[in-house]
Amino acid sequence: GGNWGGRRRCPRGNCEEVRVVDVMAAVREEDGGTLLREMAGFFKKWVAAMMGSDADAPVASSSPLPSPVNVQGGSQLMDHSKNSDLPRKATSFDPNLPISKKKSTAGPPRFSESDNVDSGVAGSLSQELPNLVDDDFQEESKYSPASAGVTASAASLERKQLFPRSKSSTALAEEVLLSKIQDLHMQLADLREMREAIAEAGVSAVPTSARSKAKSERLLVCSFRLPVSLVDQRGAGKLKVLVSAGGLLSALKQLKSSMKVRWIGATTGSPIEEQRKRAEVYKTLSEDYSYTPIFLDKDDSTVHLQLCNAVLWPLFHYLPLSLDGDRSYHPRMLEGYRKINEVYAEKILEQMRDGELVWIHDFHLFLVPQMLRRRRPTAKIGFFLHIPFPSAEIYRTLPVRQEILEGMLGSDLIGFHTYDYARHFLSACQRVLGLEVKPNAVEYYGAAVKVGIFPFGLDPTPYLKTVRSKPVIQFREELREQLAGKKIIIGVDRVDYIKGIPHKLLALEHFLQTHSEWIGRVLLIQIGVPSSSGREEYEVFRAEIHGMVGRINGEMSTLEDMPIHYLEQMISFEDLVALYSVADVALISSLRDGMNLVSYEYTVCQQENRGVLILSEFTGAAQSLPGALVCNPWDIEGISDCIFEALTMSDEERELKHKKIFRYIMLHSSALWGQNFISDLIEVSDERQKIMEKRINLQPQTVRDSLANSNRRLILIDYEGINGPRSGQVERDNSWIRLSRSLQALSADERNVIFLLADHDRKHVVDWVDDLGIGLATEYGLHFRRPMQGPTETTCQSVWETFYAIDGPSIASVMIDVYDLLDRYELQTPGSILLSQENSVSWVLREEYPEFSVAQSEQVAHLLGDILNGSPLELLTRRNALHVRPRGVNKGNFFEHLLAEYVSHGEAPDTILCFSRGGEDEGVFEVIERSDVPSTRSFCCVVGNDCKDAAYYVIDLDQVCDILEGLI
């Protein structure tokens, strides 16, 4: 279950369990104590009724009872432990608090239209809707502690009246209880909104919530398109700006009242080629709307959209790619995609000020967060994905899988609609990039990139107003008159493969075949919103739908009626609301959908009719909306059964299910979604800033200026460290090629002495650097080779040396048992690799199977501890590997010996530049910092930001290359 009064709750968003004692203890909460006392009293009455005991008897704390969805909702960082990495604002409950029996004489505070307070969703609820809960609350009050003086016989009568014994009495009683509690919960939300409104207005000194912290923040929102369309007015000589409604715009409406928001994106509608017109449009949108338009190159934009629409969109909705045709990938797509993302990143950097928040949206701009992070390491960046994130098995088929993940991981906070999407993302990071993940974060180059769940909501106000407008009421009455005696099923979907329209039609056909008595009594009105796609596949799909509609109507129609009305056209907002309000059932059979707000829109328009919602389990909304009939769109018979259940459901059950969904929608609006994301982004970015303030991002110019007059430079590079989160893998990518060229050029300068430190032995490493002319230390510094001494010397002529005296025979003797154990477990652990070296051995496990690998690693480490006890070998445990090596051999000791040698020969360096691995540098940074070499300046630089001993950091290998190239 969730914490009442707090924001942490079950990640699926619709768990309905809470302990009785938690609600009783909640009476302590200062805002809404009266309401919670009413709730506590009602709980006691309910438990007494169900157990047949006295209403005043103590309630067992172990009794799980249904609870409503958490009222705060919206934001859940994926941390289910008690000690979250982020400070949460949940109210804690004391399970030992005794149940209060004090009578309550004061009624619950309520908003009224005369309050004239803008209280967000709760306020609009009381102003826009009929009072849905007051009657229930008055009825409920007689079960509160205020009426504790009722006689035993009266209490028994009350129990019989409230919970009549029937074959489904227990289930119905739970539904009624949940409805009552949710009513009280909404009133409590009203009270909280009032407190915040008063505090924000300065009327009271009541402490504000964390959301009010956003007032001092500035926000840059970046989406691929702006919510405006430019229309060329012929004859007028200028473009008209049309602002879209709903969606992200409605979510930002509330934020604009508390912080300054600027929106960056491309324009849609009539293309603008003339520079003069572009300047006019830019000025108009910037000054009148706080929008910053981007005018994209047509060719680059076309290639960018090919990757988005033909590759990313289908694959993220579980449609596999093909080798050729509409859903095929070509390398040029990535270049075009990267170019457009760079345009957006440049525009953001142009607009960004220090301390501003940046919120990037959706799959068109996956690479922008990382581009910003490399140029502004301290930027506060949030990213939200509005479509599903596929399972790791599906995602791994994407040719640009690594680039997409690394682009997203430039963010401080990444948001998803549901727990499943977030879980898939974490799994992909683990299996594709080999990163360490937590339930709510990804460890990436030393930074914890937080992952949060933020189910999107709806702005209900336009629908609530329109549904009571005269044109809609009139049209609704006309529809009822025309369709009298029929049950109406409504479907509103874009004509797209993922929307499952054929599955819906087949389910209706099966229903009519199975329940022939409904022929002529049920009508499916299916609105097919036309898609802009002109692909051949799309036309074939449309033809398939038209054929199915014609066949079913031909077989199931009567002389007076036909079962399907299919309209493939745009309809007005008023007509849509009228259809929503008159329908008895809404049927949504999407195969995959990020959220699907049609389910929200339908429910909000159903205050009079109390219609039933049938919702595909593969929509994001299915994890948030309690009360919906959830179906598998691939199970045609199952959908048919849901249709029958919805059409034959009793009025009481319809009302209970509708009120469940309606309350959730009203309490989880799009405005609250935006507020919760920004609130968490502020917390996460501030936490990261506190860590990064202790380190200095090492810039190429800083190093270049400091080393300008240096005559003896000692440069140390830890290969595993600079290779970042994929350490241990030899990556021949562009970054490694850049690094190799830089090292080769620097080694030709007599002022530079360069050593590459590696965990591997000589035979594995020599091939990497044999032609670079640099020094090399292998097996954790056990063996080393000095850099070339002149242009005539080759690295092959260099002599291998060691600073250590090791006991070879003893090591070889123990290694027999070590090899035997590791060889046996390698066979039992698919994908693991046993690397045999001269005086050490490494067992590397695959990141794709983390749980299994961790279990195997722990078991082997325990057995190795017994073997190595008292031997000249030691065990080094790392996240994805076990290393057995000679005792006392590590990179820190090697560097200490090397530095002492240079000092003793009068060749002490005047500058030391070291790039190493945070947390696993084995004391290299410590040795540098404590060295007492006079007139030596050092730069201890970690790749990432997770090493407390490093004074400097760089973000990734590319920034290392930037610094080294600056020294050439």
Side-chain angles (χ1 to χ4, degrees):
N3 288 347
W4 285 40
R7 289 168 48 204
R8 286 173 52 191
R9 62 185 176 91
C10 172
R12 290 186 63 86
N14 60 353
C15 287
E16 297 182 354
E17 287 190 359
V18 69
R19 294 188 182 276
V20 178
V21 63
D22 288 344
V23 180
M24 301 301 186
V27 174
R28 293 182 306 156
E29 190 175 18
E30 60 180 0
D31 56 341
T34 301
L35 291 174
L36 289 172
R37 288 189 185 94
E38 294 286 352
M39 190 183 300
F42 189 76
F43 255 109
K44 292 175 62 182
K45 287 291 180 178
W46 184 85
V47 173
M50 299 308 298
M51 294 181 176
S53 60
D54 186 5
D56 290 330
V59 180
S61 63
S62 61
S63 302
L65 290 176
S67 79
V69 176
N70 188 294
V71 67
Q72 298 289 347
S75 155
Q76 311 105 50
L77 288 173
M78 294 176 56
D79 188 357
H80 316 308
S81 65
K82 293 183 179 179
N83 298 320
S84 174
D85 291 338
L86 286 177
R88 312 307 296 162
K89 297 174 283 297
T91 302
S92 60
F93 298 118
D94 183 2
N96 299 316
L97 184 73
I99 299 171
S100 173
K101 298 180 185 260
K102 181 179 178 180
K103 295 184 179 181
S104 172
T105 57
R110 289 287 300 164
F111 274 111
S112 65
E113 294 183 1
S114 61
D115 289 333
N116 196 25
V117 177
D118 181 8
S119 56
V121 180
S124 64
L125 171 65
S126 60
Q127 295 170 14
E128 298 293 340
L129 293 177
N131 196 335
L132 301 176
V133 295
D134 281 346
D135 294 339
D136 289 339
F137 183 82
Q138 294 301 325
E139 177 187 352
E140 179 182 319
S141 297
K142 61 186 177 183
Y143 303 107
S144 69
S147 57
V150 295
T151 63
S153 59
S156 175
L157 179 61
E158 287 176 354
R159 288 196 296 269
K160 292 178 180 179
Q161 291 174 343
L162 183 58
F163 303 108
R165 295 295 180 181
S166 65
K167 63 180 181 180
S168 59
S169 60
T170 301
L172 181 59
E174 291 180 352
E175 292 284 348
V176 173
L177 171 67
L178 180 60
S179 177
K180 300 286 186 181
I181 296 171
Q182 287 180 327
D183 286 340
L184 293 171
H185 222 167
M186 289 185 70
Q187 296 174 42
L188 182 58
D190 285 350
L191 180 62
R192 288 192 177 124
E193 292 287 350
M194 179 187 290
R195 275 181 91 228
E196 292 181 5
I198 294 173
E200 291 171 2
V203 176
S204 172
V206 178
T208 57
S209 66
R211 288 199 300 266
S212 64
K213 185 177 180 180
K215 288 184 176 182
S216 60
E217 302 287 343
R218 291 169 54 88
L219 175 64
L220 284 179
V221 176
C222 185
S223 61
F224 181 62
R225 294 186 178 91
L226 290 173
V228 297
S229 182
L230 303 178
V231 179
D232 189 2
Q233 292 181 308
R234 296 181 179 179
K238 63 178 182 179
L239 295 171
K240 182 179 180 181
V241 178
L242 299 179
V243 180
S244 306
L248 187 56
L249 184 64
S250 63
L252 297 178
K253 191 181 301 180
Q254 189 73 15
L255 286 173
K256 287 182 178 180
S257 65
S258 59
M259 63 194 307
K260 189 171 182 179
V261 179
R262 176 160 289 275
W263 198 329
I264 299 173
T267 58
T268 58
S270 301
I272 307 173
E273 302 296 340
E274 296 181 20
Q275 197 64 34
R276 181 181 59 84
K277 285 189 175 181
R278 287 187 175 185
E280 292 177 359
V281 170
Y282 189 97
K283 181 179 179 181
T284 300
L285 293 179
S286 180
E287 295 179 357
D288 297 346
Y289 300 93
S290 293
Y291 295 158
T292 299
I294 296 177
F295 304 101
L296 300 174
D297 178 81
K298 185 177 180 180
D299 294 336
D300 290 341
S301 180
T302 299
V303 178
H304 168 269
L305 288 176
Q306 285 177 350
L307 180 65
C308 293
N309 298 335
V311 177
L312 297 179
W313 172 269
L315 187 70
F316 277 58
H317 288 85
Y318 290 77
L319 296 176
L321 303 180
S322 57
L323 293 177
D324 54 13
D326 290 337
R327 295 200 299 272
S328 59
Y329 170 79
H330 302 284
R332 62 182 177 82
M333 291 180 176
L334 179 58
E335 293 305 315
Y337 186 84
R338 184 177 282 114
K339 282 184 180 180
I340 294 299
N341 277 250
E342 287 175 351
V343 171
Y344 279 80
E346 289 291 345
K347 184 61 68 173
I348 292 173
L349 290 169
E350 177 186 307
Q351 298 286 322
M352 187 192 303
R353 302 178 187 174
D354 290 340
E356 275 191 337
L357 301 171
V358 180
W359 192 5
I360 302 163
H361 290 269
D362 226 4
F363 64 102
H364 302 88
L365 305 175
F366 273 138
L367 305 183
V368 173
Q370 187 72 311
M371 292 175 176
L372 295 178
R373 182 67 62 196
R374 286 175 177 168
R375 301 181 200 182
R376 294 280 187 88
T378 59
K380 301 178 179 181
I381 305 170
F383 181 88
F384 191 86
L385 184 64
H386 292 266
I387 62 175
F389 195 95
S391 67
E393 290 300 319
I394 296 293
Y395 182 81
R396 290 169 66 192
T397 65
L398 181 64
V400 292
R401 59 189 186 179
Q402 180 175 319
E403 290 84 352
I404 296 300
L405 289 178
E406 290 180 342
M408 296 175 69
L409 289 171
S411 310
D412 292 293
L413 174 63
I414 302 174
F416 299 92
H417 287 303
T418 72
Y419 172 73
D420 284 344
Y421 303 160
R423 178 170 54 86
H424 294 161
F425 171 75
L426 293 172
S427 177
C429 289
Q430 193 170 50
R431 303 190 66 179
V432 174
L433 297 182
L435 301 179
E436 182 179 356
V437 302
K438 299 178 181 179
N440 71 328
V442 180
E443 293 294 330
Y444 184 66
Y445 281 108
V449 180
K450 297 294 182 178
V451 176
I453 307 166
F454 305 87
F456 196 75
L458 179 76
D459 180 10
T461 305
Y463 296 89
L464 296 172
K465 289 182 178 179
T466 305
V467 78
R468 296 197 302 273
S469 65
K470 289 183 179 180
V472 169
I473 293 174
Q474 182 178 354
F475 184 42
R476 182 167 63 236
E477 294 305 319
E478 292 175 0
L479 287 173
R480 285 174 175 169
E481 184 178 346
Q482 294 173 10
L483 305 174
K486 292 185 177 62
K487 293 287 187 179
I488 302 172
I489 303 174
I490 184 71
V492 180
D493 305 279
R494 191 176 68 257
V495 182
D496 197 299
Y497 304 98
I498 68 167
K499 295 300 181 178
I501 297 177
H503 302 67
K504 185 184 307 186
L505 298 176
L506 291 175
L508 181 68
E509 179 183 32
H510 183 276
F511 169 74
L512 294 176
Q513 290 171 345
T514 308
H515 303 279
S516 57
E517 69 276 9
W518 282 94
I519 295 178
R521 296 171 52 201
V522 64
L523 171 65
L524 169 63
I525 302 177
Q526 176 63 48
I527 309 297
V529 181
S531 175
S532 57
S533 175
R535 301 193 305 265
E536 182 178 351
E537 273 188 352
Y538 173 72
E539 296 303 325
V540 172
F541 179 67
R542 288 183 64 237
E544 178 187 353
I545 294 175
H546 295 165
M548 293 178 68
V549 171
R551 178 179 58 79
I552 296 172
N553 277 339
E555 294 176 357
M556 301 294 176
S557 293
T558 65
L559 291 176
E560 297 83 11
D561 302 289
M562 57 183 180
I564 303 173
H565 284 181
Y566 180 72
L567 301 130
E568 191 173 308
Q569 58 186 268
M570 300 293 294
I571 64 174
S572 68
F573 180 68
E574 289 76 12
D575 289 350
L576 178 63
V577 169
L579 287 171
Y580 279 148
S581 64
V582 79
D584 300 284
V585 178
L587 177 54
I588 299 170
S589 55
S590 300
L591 307 183
R592 291 286 167 184
D593 235 343
M595 199 64 192
N596 193 295
L597 294 183
V598 169
S599 55
Y600 288 62
E601 296 168 357
Y602 170 76
T603 302
V604 171
C605 296
Q606 279 287 316
Q607 279 305 291
E608 180 181 341
N609 205 31
R610 302 294 200 267
V612 181
L613 175 64
I614 302 176
L615 188 57
S616 165
E617 67 180 85
F618 299 117
T619 62
Q623 298 192 25
S624 298
L625 299 183
L629 299 182
V630 179
C631 66
N632 178 358
W634 297 97
D635 180 7
I636 302 302
E637 184 176 352
I639 304 176
S640 173
D641 292 341
C642 285
I643 294 174
F644 180 77
E645 181 181 355
L647 294 177
T648 58
M649 187 178 294
S650 67
D651 292 341
E652 293 78 9
E653 189 174 358
R654 285 165 63 99
E655 181 167 357
L656 285 172
K657 289 184 177 295
H658 168 78
K659 290 178 73 174
K660 272 185 178 181
I661 305 174
F662 181 78
R663 290 187 189 98
Y664 178 89
I665 294 172
M666 300 305 298
L667 294 172
H668 299 79
S669 67
S670 56
L672 186 62
W673 168 83
Q675 290 173 343
N676 283 325
F677 186 94
I678 294 302
S679 174
D680 282 349
L681 177 57
I682 292 171
E683 292 180 6
V684 169
S685 58
D686 285 349
E687 179 182 325
R688 181 169 179 165
Q689 290 298 313
K690 291 177 182 178
I691 298 174
M692 299 188 71
E693 285 172 358
K694 302 175 183 178
R695 305 284 178 264
I696 301 173
N697 183 238
L698 190 59
Q699 297 297 321
Q701 186 65 41
T702 303
V703 179
R704 185 164 52 248
D705 293 344
S706 298
L707 273 63
N709 299 320
S710 174
N711 296 317
R712 185 76 177 170
R713 309 166 180 169
L714 180 56
I715 302 175
L716 299 176
I717 299 176
D718 181 354
Y719 172 75
E720 284 76 21
I722 62 172
N723 206 28
R726 294 171 283 128
S727 59
Q729 304 175 17
V730 181
E731 297 290 344
R732 291 287 182 175
D733 56 13
N734 292 333
S735 298
W736 176 254
I737 294 173
R738 285 182 63 196
L739 178 66
S740 301
R741 291 173 179 172
S742 300
L743 294 177
Q744 188 171 27
L746 289 171
S747 66
D749 189 336
E750 295 181 354
R751 297 176 297 174
N752 300 321
V753 176
I754 305 173
F755 273 90
L756 184 70
L757 312 180
D759 294 349
H760 303 279
D761 67 357
R762 289 176 279 189
K763 63 182 179 181
H764 287 97
V765 182
V766 167
D767 291 340
W768 307 348
V769 297
D770 203 32
D771 58 345
L772 300 183
I774 64 175
L776 179 63
T778 63
E779 285 196 82
Y780 316 96
L782 177 60
H783 303 286
F784 72 97
R785 188 177 66 184
R786 301 180 189 276
M788 294 190 322
Q789 298 299 315
T792 60
E793 184 182 4
T794 65
T795 52
C796 296
Q797 295 172 324
S798 299
V799 179
W800 286 96
E801 306 174 48
T802 183
F803 287 127
Y804 302 92
I806 59 174
D807 186 353
S810 297
I811 290 177
S813 175
V814 179
M815 275 294 183
I816 295 175
D817 295 333
V818 172
Y819 278 123
D820 181 63
L821 174 66
L822 294 180
D823 187 59
R824 186 168 70 252
Y825 271 86
E826 182 191 21
L827 297 175
Q828 300 175 11
T829 311
S832 65
I833 303 173
L834 186 61
L835 299 176
S836 175
Q837 298 165 160
E838 294 181 60
N839 297 282
S840 60
V841 62
S842 298
W843 188 43
V844 182
L845 300 115
R846 293 184 64 178
E847 297 284 355
E848 286 85 347
Y849 312 106
E851 295 83 4
F852 181 63
S853 296
V854 168
Q856 293 289 85
S857 176
E858 290 177 349
Q859 187 172 1
V860 172
H862 176 73
L863 296 174
L864 284 175
D866 296 335
I867 295 175
L868 301 180
N869 187 25
S871 75
L873 297 174
E874 65 181 4
L875 175 64
L876 174 64
T877 303
R878 286 181 176 161
R879 183 171 58 87
N880 64 332
L882 298 177
H883 306 276
V884 178
R885 66 185 184 185
R887 289 188 186 276
V889 176
N890 58 65
K891 296 172 185 176
N893 287 341
F894 161 75
F895 177 70
E896 191 169 20
H897 288 304
L898 182 68
L899 184 60
E901 182 184 84
Y902 279 126
V903 172
S904 65
H905 287 80
E907 298 177 348
D910 55 29
T911 304
I912 300 176
L913 177 61
C914 179
F915 297 99
S916 187
R917 166 175 31 210
E920 295 181 357
D921 68 305
E922 300 183 300
V924 175
F925 290 154
E926 184 181 353
V927 172
I928 294 174
E929 293 298 331
R930 73 166 184 254
S931 65
D932 54 358
V933 181
S935 303
T936 298
R937 180 170 185 184
S938 61
F939 293 93
C940 295
C941 186
V942 66
V943 181
N945 195 37
D946 63 345
C947 182
K948 63 181 180 180
D949 297 324
Y952 300 92
Y953 76 94
V954 292
I955 297 174
D956 54 20
L957 179 55
D958 283 328
Q959 196 171 354
V960 174
C961 295
D962 292 340
I963 292 173
L964 295 178
E965 288 170 354
L967 298 177
I968 299 175

